[in-house]
Amino acid sequence: METQKSMQKKITPEMENKNPIKIFSTPKGLNVVKSPVKSIILSALREKEMSFDEIVKVTGKSKSTVSVHLKALTQDEILGSKAHPADQRKKIFFINSRYIGELNQQEVQERKEEKVEFLIQNLIDKGDPFEFFKLMFHTLRVVMIKEGINLDPILNQTGMRIGEVFYRKLENKNTSEFLKNLAHFWTSNGLGRLEIDNLDPVTVRAYDCFECGMLPNVGKSACALDSGILEAVFSAHFSQEVIINEIKCYARGDKYCCFVIEPLEEFSKEELSND
């Protein structure tokens, strides 16, 4: 997650060119944001609500340029605004739509075509319906990654809905028993194998990961679906929102995936102390 300090650095042309195209769902339908400046504004506002002057500082652009982009984003219903609590003449801007994903053209050349061919060849040979679906899922993800398309937000939301539904079958007030139920759920549904590495904070290792085990090394964590499931079930178990931090992942070249689960309030305090 980008800190406010890093966001306030002046934006260079090189940074603008590398900023990925962002996709949002609005009442008017899907909106693809290609403008580098708009993309920077949206990245900043995904961190927190901001005033006009704060947005100008983050982008390093003139007030007139920022004003034009904010007007367009508001008209497209991607952004909303409200009166500044300290000065009714000023506005506070916030994201008023759902972030779907992004397209990063810079990553296309880094992906391996052989990985796609391998997966497709295996699709032909599989007689097991589950294995067929698993390979089909991975083929789709590899092709999207290869094209620079990031759909992690959608996968994460899907995982959260799955977790919310299945929590009722996993529920147990005793954390140790709850973790046993979770590990059984993970294995019985073909998601891989879970091991509890620590209880303070709760740290979970995932082996043979269904979601990323067959992905190429993309240099970053790729378990958005799993993270969503874990966020939903642990939030319900602890009766408060939690943060899922994936510190290891097959897609980063690690030998297993590892998730650290911490209460949102504690995470926020730690972030504030580091700024």
Side-chain angles (χ1 to χ4, degrees), residues 3-275:
T3 64
Q4 187 61 27
K5 188 180 292 184
S6 66
M7 291 296 300
Q8 289 180 349
K9 292 179 181 178
K10 187 173 180 180
I11 306 300
T12 66
E14 292 177 348
M15 291 168 69
E16 288 184 357
N17 292 334
K18 292 181 179 179
N19 220 289
I21 296 169
K22 290 178 169 52
I23 307 169
F24 287 82
S25 175
T26 74
K28 294 181 178 179
L30 287 181
N31 194 304
V32 178
V33 180
K34 297 181 180 179
S35 162
V37 178
K38 287 180 182 176
S39 184
I40 292 165
I41 292 171
L42 291 167
S43 292
L45 289 176
R46 285 186 66 211
E47 295 292 320
K48 68 169 189 174
E49 299 178 351
M50 301 178 76
S51 68
F52 176 77
D53 290 337
E54 288 175 317
I55 295 172
V56 169
K57 188 174 182 179
V58 164
T59 62
K61 300 296 182 182
S62 68
K63 290 187 176 181
S64 59
T65 297
V66 172
S67 180
V68 168
H69 286 303
L70 288 175
K71 183 178 179 180
L73 289 168
T74 302
Q75 289 175 340
D76 289 338
E77 298 186 26
I78 296 175
L79 295 186
S81 63
K82 59 186 178 183
H84 196 294
D87 187 344
Q88 296 293 304
R89 297 169 299 175
K90 297 181 179 180
K91 291 182 178 179
I92 296 291
F93 292 89
F94 56 89
I95 291 180
N96 194 38
S97 54
R98 187 158 55 90
Y99 178 55
I100 296 296
E102 61 188 35
L103 171 63
N104 192 336
Q105 297 283 7
Q106 299 295 322
E107 295 185 357
V108 173
Q109 69 274 15
E110 300 173 13
R111 310 306 170 208
K112 296 181 180 180
E113 185 68 36
E114 312 86 70
K115 190 72 176 181
V116 179
E117 293 176 356
F118 166 78
L119 289 168
I120 292 175
Q121 183 58 47
N122 275 271
L123 274 174
I124 298 171
D125 300 331
K126 291 294 178 185
D128 183 332
F130 176 78
E131 287 298 317
F132 178 85
F133 170 77
K134 181 178 179 180
L135 280 165
M136 186 168 61
F137 173 78
H138 282 96
T139 302
L140 176 64
R141 285 207 70 186
V142 169
V143 169
M144 286 186 163
I145 290 172
K146 183 173 165 292
E147 295 301 326
I149 300 173
N150 174 22
L151 291 180
D152 284 357
I154 292 179
L155 289 171
N156 187 258
Q157 286 298 314
T158 302
M160 288 192 69
R161 293 190 179 187
I162 293 171
E164 288 167 2
V165 171
F166 276 96
Y167 176 71
R168 293 190 290 271
K169 295 186 176 182
L170 308 175
E171 187 175 3
N172 194 305
K173 292 182 180 180
N174 182 288
T175 297
S176 295
E177 291 302 315
F178 165 69
L179 291 172
K180 288 179 183 178
N181 293 343
L182 179 63
H184 176 72
F185 163 81
W186 219 260
T187 303
S188 61
N189 286 283
L191 297 176
R193 178 171 55 86
L194 290 188
E195 289 185 2
I196 308 307
D197 197 41
N198 197 0
L199 289 177
D200 187 20
V202 176
T203 305
V204 178
R205 290 189 183 190
Y207 294 90
D208 305 320
C209 179
F210 163 84
E211 186 173 4
C212 73
M214 297 186 72
L215 291 180
N217 186 338
V218 297
K220 58 184 179 182
S221 298
C223 297
L225 182 74
D226 288 353
S227 294
I229 295 174
L230 293 173
E231 182 176 344
V233 298
F234 277 102
S235 292
H237 177 70
F238 290 124
S239 299
Q240 63 174 307
E241 290 186 68
V242 301
I243 290 290
I244 306 297
N245 183 20
E246 187 178 7
I247 59 174
K248 290 182 180 291
C249 185
Y250 284 107
R252 289 166 53 176
D254 297 314
K255 295 181 179 179
Y256 55 88
C257 299
C258 187
F259 305 89
V260 178
I261 297 93
E262 296 181 281
L264 180 60
E265 290 182 1
E266 289 186 14
F267 182 84
S268 299
K269 289 177 184 176
E270 184 179 340
E271 282 288 290
L272 288 172
S273 67
N274 288 336
D275 287 344

